[in-house]
Amino acid sequence: MSQGSNFVDYVKICCRSGHGGAGSAHLHRDKLTAKGGPDGGDGGRGGHVIIKGNAQLWTLLHLKFRKHVIAGDGEGGRLSLQTGKTGRDEILEVPLGTIAKNSETGEILFEITKDGETQILTPGGRGGLGNWHFKSATQQTPRFAQPGEPGQEVWNILELKLLADVGLVGFPNAGKSTLLSVVSAAKPEIADYAFTTIVPNLGIVAYRNNRSFIMADIPGIIEGASQGKGLGFRFLRHIERNSVLLFMIPADTSRTLKEEYQILLHELKEYNPELMHKPRVLAITKSDMLDDELLAELKKEVPADVPSVFISSVAQKGIDQLKDLLWKEINR
């Protein structure tokens, strides 16, 4: 399978929880008891559809072709106050950062952020009460019991937003994939055409004293991405879950550094204004092509309100300084 088909960050599934079992209306009878009282047990609960976090997963690929998830029904109650068997739960494992939504209303139900965390997506029907619950002084042999509650059938959306310490933000060919390949063991596709990266890539960046942080390479944004142009709109959601945003602008850009930086900021603000509150770092890439005179001129264009560094991934220039800046912002 290709890289693109391996990464799935959106699935829509129909979840049907189990029906609750009916309560029993049994009356106690044995060879020593001709007319005993009620002893019908309760029905079993219907099975839930449960979402569980798994830190070893990073995509929803395993759920892409599973459109219907059906939990088991609860069994009916039995004599001698025996409760029916609970229906089989269906457990769907998902990567951390997965959000569950109701597909019709768009309501966010919950988010999975921890390994092993479980949430009930579709609750099973409650089992009915047996007839022994309804006995009283005036009704000593009730011959009725509750039916079980029906399960629910709901279309839900599971949407993945990658969790990372640093998210790379920049136009196509800004050098994001090259940087990720240099500072981590990730092997993203690198080429000299726009939109080489068509899915997010994650890499673990080694830092001093055996420390590390996670970096996410987000597919390139273009002007108008927040209105759905290019690939950016599809993957802007992944930037929301990153602690620090690393803006990357190539030194050979046709615009000024300030202009390109402001365009990137504008696209993020149009998509989600809350992104403006995240810590930001600016890296000017491909700086190995600059002589001292050009470097001095470009430094005058760098926005003053953001920490910045000139780097070259190919020449390994400024990489350690960039890591220091990012670590400082992550732990602020």
Side-chain angles (χ1 to χ4, degrees):
M1 299 177 74
S2 68
Q3 180 192 34
S5 63
N6 277 332
F7 182 81
V8 177
D9 59 357
Y10 179 99
V11 294
K12 183 176 180 182
I13 54 177
C14 178
C15 299
R16 193 178 83 189
S17 59
H19 304 304
S24 170
H26 189 267
L27 298 175
H28 180 61
R29 298 287 188 271
D30 62 26
K31 62 182 179 180
L32 300 177
T33 309
K35 294 184 178 180
D39 70 343
D42 301 339
R45 168 185 63 78
H48 299 319
V49 177
I50 297 173
I51 303 297
K52 182 179 181 180
N54 186 339
Q56 302 302 313
L57 297 175
W58 73 286
T59 174
L60 297 171
L61 175 65
H62 59 294
L63 299 176
K64 181 177 180 180
F65 302 106
R66 191 175 180 185
K67 291 300 180 184
H68 296 271
V69 178
I70 302 173
D73 295 334
E75 291 185 355
R78 290 173 287 184
L79 56 90
S80 301
L81 303 181
Q82 296 180 76
T83 300
K85 184 179 179 181
T86 298
R88 181 195 73 260
D89 292 333
E90 281 289 338
I91 300 177
L92 305 178
E93 295 194 342
V94 298
L96 307 188
T98 298
I99 292 175
K101 296 180 179 179
N102 183 296
S103 67
E104 294 184 1
T105 65
E107 176 191 2
I108 295 177
L109 305 175
F110 54 81
E111 179 180 3
I112 299 293
T113 59
K114 298 178 182 177
D115 188 34
E117 177 184 356
T118 59
Q119 296 278 0
I120 297 175
L121 181 62
T122 312
R126 187 176 59 180
L129 298 178
N131 63 344
W132 72 276
H133 286 278
F134 306 105
K135 65 182 179 181
S136 66
T138 57
Q139 190 174 44
Q140 296 183 3
T141 55
R143 287 173 167 79
F144 59 87
Q146 280 185 338
E149 291 183 354
Q152 302 177 24
E153 184 169 328
V154 185
W155 280 92
N156 291 296
I157 291 171
L158 298 180
E159 186 177 274
L160 172 62
K161 297 185 180 182
L162 291 179
L163 296 172
D165 298 304
V166 178
L168 304 184
V169 180
F171 289 107
N173 295 101
K176 302 185 297 299
S177 297
T178 304
L179 175 65
L180 186 67
S181 69
V182 168
V183 300
S184 75
K187 297 291 183 260
E189 183 181 353
I190 300 171
D192 59 356
Y193 57 87
F195 299 119
T196 310
T197 303
I198 58 173
V199 299
N201 290 293
L202 287 178
I204 299 176
V205 181
Y207 191 59
R208 296 186 179 95
N209 301 321
N210 295 319
R211 293 174 293 185
S212 63
F213 56 88
I214 298 175
M215 181 178 286
D217 173 17
I218 311 298
I221 300 170
I222 65 169
E223 194 169 0
S226 57
Q227 279 76 49
K229 294 183 180 178
L231 296 175
F233 178 75
R234 179 180 173 189
F235 296 109
L236 278 172
R237 73 169 76 100
H238 297 294
I239 297 176
E240 296 178 332
R241 289 297 182 269
N242 298 327
S243 302
V244 177
L245 302 182
L246 175 58
F247 287 75
M248 299 183 66
I249 301 176
D252 59 354
T253 176
S254 58
R255 308 181 182 93
T256 66
L257 298 182
K258 282 186 178 178
E259 287 174 347
E260 192 141 336
Y261 178 66
Q262 290 300 324
I263 291 172
L264 290 170
L265 274 182
H266 174 74
E267 293 303 326
L268 297 187
K269 184 177 180 180
E270 287 294 307
Y271 177 73
N272 185 353
E274 293 182 6
L275 293 175
M276 296 298 97
H277 302 298
K278 287 185 177 291
R280 301 192 289 267
V281 173
L282 174 61
I284 295 87
T285 64
K286 306 179 184 178
S287 61
D288 57 317
M289 302 186 300
L290 305 174
D291 56 27
D292 293 340
E293 185 178 349
L294 280 172
L295 186 62
E297 287 296 320
L298 280 178
K299 284 183 176 179
K300 297 177 184 178
E301 298 180 7
V302 175
D305 60 342
V306 59
S308 60
V309 59
F310 284 77
I311 68 169
S312 170
S313 301
V314 175
Q316 298 281 304
K317 175 183 176 183
I319 299 299
D320 289 337
Q321 185 182 353
L322 174 63
K323 289 182 181 180
D324 290 338
L325 267 178
L326 292 173
W327 187 261
K328 180 181 177 181
E329 293 297 326
I330 291 169
N331 294 280
R332 175 177 291 182

